[in-house]
Amino acid sequence: MPQVLLLPGWHNSGPAHWQSLWQAEYGYVRVEQHSWDRPLRGDWLSQLEEAVLQYPESVLVAHSLGCIQVAAWAAHSRNTDRVKGALLVAPCDAERPEMQNILHSWHPIVRERMPFPSIVVTSRNDPYCSFMRASALAHAWGSSMVDGGMGGHLNADSRLGNWPQGHALLQQLLEKEVTHGH
């Protein structure tokens, strides 16, 4: 069974976030970062590379900036064959003008097809990335797209609890029921 690697976004995922609840309930592994508050792309990619090398059969579960991390990593790593799939939830738009000084090392967002099956889940009212923008990223990445309704940023503020709908999508990736999209 592949190891599930959790990739939180900027500022990490707090105790009420579905990623933290999944970690507590299922024992999934959180990929820790040296700085959650000052995310440097090279550092975050290095941490993901180390985790994938440690767990040679992985499924990635990313939230927000973690989605952008997976896209950048997949475009540069020589170890993408170790990843069986990725659940990419609520990608953030690091290219928005107000984010460019804060997330300066994260733009441009990598828009290359990922070499493994992936699912992007986004809501229609995410304040950090429009539905159309997230749809365009999903298309560029070759990901299947799931409409998260009016769920905001699909985080703790969205009151998803342990988010069983998201866990069902993860199960599809673990059981290899997701084909390589587009």
Side-chain angles (χ1 to χ4, degrees):
M1 187 70 143
Q3 177 62 57
V4 174
L5 299 177
L6 300 171
L7 302 163
W10 185 27
H11 301 303
N12 203 349
S13 291
H17 193 288
W18 55 267
Q19 282 185 317
S20 299
L21 297 174
W22 288 7
Q23 182 178 8
E25 186 171 344
Y26 304 110
Y28 299 155
V29 174
R30 180 182 306 245
V31 176
E32 295 292 340
Q33 299 300 335
H34 292 114
S35 176
W36 290 109
D37 299 325
R38 303 193 74 191
L40 297 175
R41 184 159 101 169
D43 185 45
W44 279 38
L45 298 186
S46 168
Q47 293 297 98
L48 176 51
E49 183 78 3
E50 289 298 319
V52 169
L53 289 173
Q54 184 175 353
Y55 300 102
E57 195 172 323
S58 308
V59 171
L60 309 178
V61 177
H63 181 260
S64 194
L65 188 60
C67 302
I68 309 307
Q69 174 189 16
V70 170
W73 175 83
H76 294 96
S77 177
R78 294 187 178 158
N79 295 300
T80 57
D81 61 320
R82 293 170 170 251
V83 171
K84 303 305 172 204
L87 179 61
L88 307 167
V89 181
C92 72
D93 185 355
E95 295 174 343
R96 291 182 328 177
E98 66 271 22
M99 299 309 296
Q100 290 188 5
N101 287 334
I102 299 165
L103 301 176
H104 59 85
S105 66
W106 292 95
H107 52 86
I109 295 171
V110 172
R111 289 173 173 78
E112 293 180 23
R113 184 180 180 84
M114 293 191 199
F116 41 76
S118 58
I119 302 169
V120 169
V121 185
T122 191
S123 80
R124 294 191 168 270
N125 63 337
D126 188 331
Y128 302 110
C129 188
S130 73
F131 188 81
M132 287 186 61
R133 184 92 157 145
S135 297
L137 290 174
H139 183 76
W141 295 337
S143 304
S144 300
M145 178 78 177
V146 174
D147 184 339
M150 300 298 281
H153 194 47
L154 300 175
N155 57 8
D157 292 341
S158 303
R159 303 192 192 294
L160 299 171
N162 72 352
W163 194 36
Q165 299 87 347
H167 203 256
L169 294 170
L170 173 59
Q171 295 311 307
Q172 290 177 23
L173 286 166
L174 289 169
E175 295 163 13
K176 299 181 182 168
E177 294 177 12
V178 175
T179 58
H180 211 110
H182 305 292

